[in-house]
Amino acid sequence: MEVPRDLFMRPRSGWLLGCVLAPALLLTACTSDHDSAPESTASPAATHRNTEAQAEQKLTAQAQSALDAVTDQDDSMVESGVERVSDGVHTQPDLARGASYKLSVVCAGKGDAEIAFTPTSAGSKKSVSCDRSVVFERFVGKDSLRLDIQGRSGMTGMIAWRINKV
């Protein structure tokens, strides 16, 4: 049997390309998904995170709405925010020494939180119930004043707070 000489004399680029593509095609065929049913189930952890995020959004809206209903959002606002109860509020606002301020705090969720000033002479400790009631505290600006609002053990929810100059 005689083998045509031009078969071996042809350029090898086509043969090389075939050698490279063949394993790629086999690999793709072996790893493709043959299951026709779409996978639409989320993992329990992902579902839990989604539920938590929705609950936080709802509690944030409730706390912010209660705060907005009773406080001014004008030029007298110094600082404000919404935090998870588990994180708490920890701030050192830039206040004018001797000026009067009003802190407004709302908590939506379960449990109680506590407002604390450092130095303690700046304002009194006050309890905040997480029933969406607004708690007010008037205080005087001092150098290096620190404000902490911390949830008590087992508490969950969101804290909305605002400092206004009086």
Side-chain angles (χ1 to χ4, degrees), residues 125-161:
K125 279 189 174 185
K126 221 171 214 183
S127 182
V128 179
S129 179
C130 282
D131 60 1
R132 294 176 298 211
S133 298
V134 182
V135 173
F136 299 101
E137 178 67 26
R138 289 186 180 260
F139 65 97
V140 176
K142 297 186 181 249
D143 292 331
S144 69
L145 179 116
R146 181 174 170 87
L147 169 66
D148 294 294
I149 306 170
Q150 193 66 44
R152 296 195 175 124
S153 179
M155 185 178 158
T156 61
M158 301 299 287
I159 299 171
W161 58 279

Side-chain angles (χ1 to χ4, degrees), residues 78 92-103 115-124 136-147 163-166:
V78 176
Q92 290 182 287
D94 187 22
L95 305 173
R97 183 177 171 86
S100 295
Y101 296 91
K102 179 174 78 171
L103 169 67
I115 301 169
F117 290 89
T118 305
T120 55
S121 61
S124 61
F136 299 101
E137 178 67 26
R138 289 186 180 260
F139 65 97
V140 176
K142 297 186 181 249
D143 292 331
S144 69
L145 179 116
R146 181 174 170 87
L147 169 66
I163 298 173
N164 289 77
K165 190 171 183 179
V166 182

Side-chain angles (χ1 to χ4, degrees), residues 73-87:
Q73 298 180 45
D74 57 13
D75 292 336
S76 70
M77 186 183 77
V78 176
E79 195 172 335
S80 70
V82 178
E83 311 293 338
R84 286 182 190 96
V85 171
S86 59
D87 295 339

Side-chain angles (χ1 to χ4, degrees), residues 2-162:
E2 188 175 326
V3 177
R5 287 180 25 179
D6 63 329
L7 181 64
F8 291 108
M9 301 304 272
R10 289 188 187 159
R12 295 182 187 222
S13 62
W15 183 77
L16 184 61
L17 183 62
C19 289
V20 171
L21 289 178
L25 289 172
L26 289 173
L27 183 61
T28 303
C30 291
T31 60
S32 67
D33 186 12
H34 296 292
D35 188 10
S36 62
E39 206 169 309
S40 63
T41 58
S43 70
T47 303
H48 180 69
R49 280 192 299 271
N50 189 27
T51 303
E52 271 184 16
Q54 289 174 346
E56 278 186 4
Q57 287 176 345
K58 181 179 177 184
L59 292 173
T60 297
Q62 291 172 353
Q64 192 68 54
S65 177
L67 188 64
D68 290 344
V70 296
T71 60
D72 295 328
Q73 298 180 45
D74 57 13
D75 292 336
S76 70
M77 186 183 77
V78 176
E79 195 172 335
S80 70
V82 178
E83 311 293 338
R84 286 182 190 96
V85 171
S86 59
D87 295 339
V89 176
H90 310 284
T91 184
Q92 290 182 287
D94 187 22
L95 305 173
R97 183 177 171 86
S100 295
Y101 296 91
K102 179 174 78 171
L103 169 67
S104 306
V105 179
V106 176
C107 182
K110 294 181 179 137
D112 294 320
E114 185 175 72
I115 301 169
F117 290 89
T118 305
T120 55
S121 61
S124 61
K125 279 189 174 185
K126 221 171 214 183
S127 182
V128 179
S129 179
C130 282
D131 60 1
R132 294 176 298 211
S133 298
V134 182
V135 173
F136 299 101
E137 178 67 26
R138 289 186 180 260
F139 65 97
V140 176
K142 297 186 181 249
D143 292 331
S144 69
L145 179 116
R146 181 174 170 87
L147 169 66
D148 294 294
I149 306 170
Q150 193 66 44
R152 296 195 175 124
S153 179
M155 185 178 158
T156 61
M158 301 299 287
I159 299 171
W161 58 279
R162 185 173 296 145

